[in-house]
């Protein structure tokens, strides 16, 4: 069964304290891995798509990387406005287009 | 439109009543998805449309749930005889298609409360 697991469930950082969020996956065949950000009361906001192991994408303080078993979302020198829930999802070769989501990591950055 | 639009944004209904939730996808997006997010939980897949057909309905929890899409655009999710466990945020997303470059963009969701 295709499965996506995110860790940690929650993360508290001080402003400027860099860290990484993990998304590990077990799937029949990966077509793409997606990172989303979700603020309270809002829908998920698309951040990145990664397609193959070794690929990296960057956006401001965020950098996403992909291996054959997991993806990391690195946050460099975070600011309070980076506080949100970060969701990882996979699109597999075995399904018709649905995304399989992890449970998310809730990040809190304190000033 | 500029983004995925969902209506209503909030809905409070009495147990046993039927509800309809609407989704207007981004213009030109052929793929449309419905997800459900319960409090503190991840996103649970409900149904996927490609055009007007639904090749994957595997996530619909029971026969009280149904969805349709017309004109390759607007979609309606209907829940009949609502139960308290149906309370959740219902999210709609659309994408260009099920191919490799298929970033899905989400609406703001409809918060359904069954009392």
């Amino acid at each position: 069964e295709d499965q996506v697991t995110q860790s940690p469930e929650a993360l508290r950082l001080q402003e400027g304290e860099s860290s990484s969020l993990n998304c590990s996956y077990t799937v029949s065949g990966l077509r793409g891995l997606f990172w989303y950000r979700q603020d309270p009361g809002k829908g998920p906001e698309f951040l990145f798509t990664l397609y193959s192991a070794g690929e990296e994408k960057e956006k401001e303080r965020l950098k996403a990387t992909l291996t054959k078993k997991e993806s990391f979302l690195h946050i460099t020198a975070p600011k309070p406005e980076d506080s949100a829930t970060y969701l990882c999802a996979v699109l597999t070769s075995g399904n018709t287009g649905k995304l399989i989501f992890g449970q998310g990591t809730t990040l809190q950055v304190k000033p | 439109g500029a983004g995925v639009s969902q209506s209503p944004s909030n809905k409070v209904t009495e147990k046993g009543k039927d509800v309809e939730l609407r989704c207007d996808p981004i213009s030109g997006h052929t793929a449309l998805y419905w997800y459900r997010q319960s409090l503190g939980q991840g996103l649970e897949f409900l149904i996927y449309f490609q055009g007007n057909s639904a090749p994957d309905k595997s996530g619909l929890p029971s026969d009280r749930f149904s969805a349709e899409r017309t004109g390759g655009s607007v979609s309606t999710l209907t829940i009949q005889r609502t139960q308290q466990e149906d309370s959740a945020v219902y999210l709609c997303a659309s994408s260009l298609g099920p191919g490799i470059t298929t970033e899905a963009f989400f609406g703001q969701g409809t918060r359904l409360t069954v009392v």
Side-chain angles (χ1 to χ4, degrees), chain B residues 11 36 38 56 65 69 75 77 81-82 100 105 115:
Chain B
K11 176 73 176 178
R36 179 168 71 174
S38 301
D56 191 345
F65 288 72
R69 189 178 184 195
S75 176
L77 177 68
R81 305 181 302 282
T82 52
I100 194 69
F105 296 90
V115 298

Side-chain angles (χ1 to χ4, degrees), chain B:
Chain B
V4 178
S5 177
Q6 292 186 247
S7 60
S9 55
N10 280 284
K11 176 73 176 178
V12 179
T13 190
E14 292 182 353
K15 178 181 172 181
K17 294 283 179 71
D18 297 352
V19 294
E20 283 190 355
L21 312 180
R22 177 187 168 105
C23 173
D24 278 284
I26 293 172
S27 178
H29 281 193
T30 62
L32 185 146
Y33 314 80
W34 284 99
Y35 288 84
R36 179 168 71 174
Q37 188 172 33
S38 301
L39 189 63
Q41 301 297 309
L43 275 72
E44 175 190 5
F45 169 80
L46 298 178
I47 188 169
Y48 156 64
F49 285 94
Q50 178 56 37
N52 290 337
S53 64
D56 191 345
K57 308 178 183 179
S58 62
L60 294 178
S62 72
D63 58 8
R64 296 187 295 105
F65 288 72
S66 63
E68 65 175 11
R69 189 178 184 195
T70 56
S73 182
V74 172
S75 176
T76 303
L77 177 68
T78 301
I79 309 173
Q80 295 179 311
R81 305 181 302 282
T82 52
Q83 303 294 312
Q84 288 185 331
E85 60 262 30
D86 299 334
S87 296
V89 175
Y90 289 82
L91 290 160
C92 175
S94 71
S95 71
L96 282 171
I100 194 69
T101 56
T102 182
E103 295 91 0
F105 296 90
F106 283 81
Q108 296 297 301
T110 294
R111 181 175 297 278
L112 176 66
T113 304
V114 182
V115 298

